[in-house]
Amino acid sequence: MAEPDVLLRDFLRTRLTDPNTSRVTNSPYIIDDWPYQTNLTVNNYPRISIINQFESNKPYGIGSTDQLSTVRLQIDIWVKSDQVLTIGATTYEGFKQVRQIMRDISEEIRTHWITDLTQAGEFMYKVSINWYPPKYDYDYNIARQTGDITFVKLLT
């Protein structure tokens, strides 16, 4: 069974189209870690990072050996504020770009997460997606949106 952050990363990689057609080689659009690299350029953005915040298990029922695992993943969207990209047929920049990517992630999770992972044998049940107010880093000229997805996974 794959780690939850890797499952979400792989799910989003198959469902989302990278809006940056000039992306630097070896700089993936969606990663399952923080973007620690210090030499990132505008062609490394936007970036989506996924981090496993916590998992907790409890018995599925009386006498059952199965468990329900509650998982919370943090999703961060990083965008260079002066980068202009086209998503669909619309051009976005800065916070508007962050919000559009956020909406795309939410829509894919809402419409395909349970179906896709259940077909893959992972049996996930989405509980909630919470997005927090976007932030701006003036030192690096980066707009950032953070959110949490919490879901339940059946462990058999």
Side-chain angles (χ1 to χ4, degrees):
M1 186 176 307
E3 292 295 318
D5 52 339
V6 174
L7 285 172
L8 183 58
R9 179 204 65 197
D10 292 347
F11 169 79
L12 291 175
R13 282 183 178 174
T14 61
R15 289 286 177 179
L16 298 178
T17 301
D18 186 351
N20 185 352
T21 57
S22 302
R23 181 166 305 278
V24 174
T25 307
N26 298 327
S27 178
Y29 177 41
I30 304 168
I31 58 176
D32 55 327
D33 201 348
W34 287 96
Y36 286 117
Q37 298 167 310
T38 56
N39 58 346
L40 297 176
T41 67
V42 71
N43 286 331
N44 294 101
Y45 290 90
R47 294 171 72 87
I48 300 169
S49 60
I50 302 165
I51 297 171
N52 193 344
Q53 286 187 322
F54 78 86
E55 292 183 56
S56 66
N57 299 335
K58 66 180 184 179
Y60 182 61
I62 297 174
S64 175
T65 58
D66 295 340
Q67 294 191 349
L68 288 178
S69 176
T70 301
V71 178
R72 182 182 301 150
L73 300 174
Q74 178 178 320
I75 302 170
D76 289 283
I77 304 165
W78 313 77
V79 172
K80 275 291 197 189
S81 294
D82 54 355
Q83 184 180 34
V84 178
L85 294 172
T86 301
I87 301 173
T90 307
T91 302
Y92 296 95
E93 182 177 6
F95 283 125
K96 289 183 180 181
Q97 189 181 142
V98 166
R99 284 192 293 273
Q100 183 57 44
I101 294 170
M102 175 192 73
R103 284 190 290 272
D104 291 346
I105 289 171
S106 295
E107 182 63 22
E108 290 301 330
I109 290 171
R110 241 190 316 277
T111 57
H112 300 288
W113 174 255
I114 294 172
T115 305
D116 285 11
L117 292 178
T118 299
Q119 289 173 353
E122 289 293 343
F123 306 111
M124 301 283 182
Y125 307 95
K126 179 182 68 69
V127 175
S128 65
I129 303 172
N130 299 305
W131 293 101
Y132 304 102
K135 297 178 181 172
Y136 186 78
D137 185 327
Y138 291 96
D139 293 334
Y140 295 101
N141 195 29
I142 293 175
R144 176 180 168 202
Q145 178 78 50
T146 299
D148 293 326
I149 175 173
T150 304
F151 59 89
V152 175
K153 175 171 76 169
L154 180 61
L155 302 175
T156 56

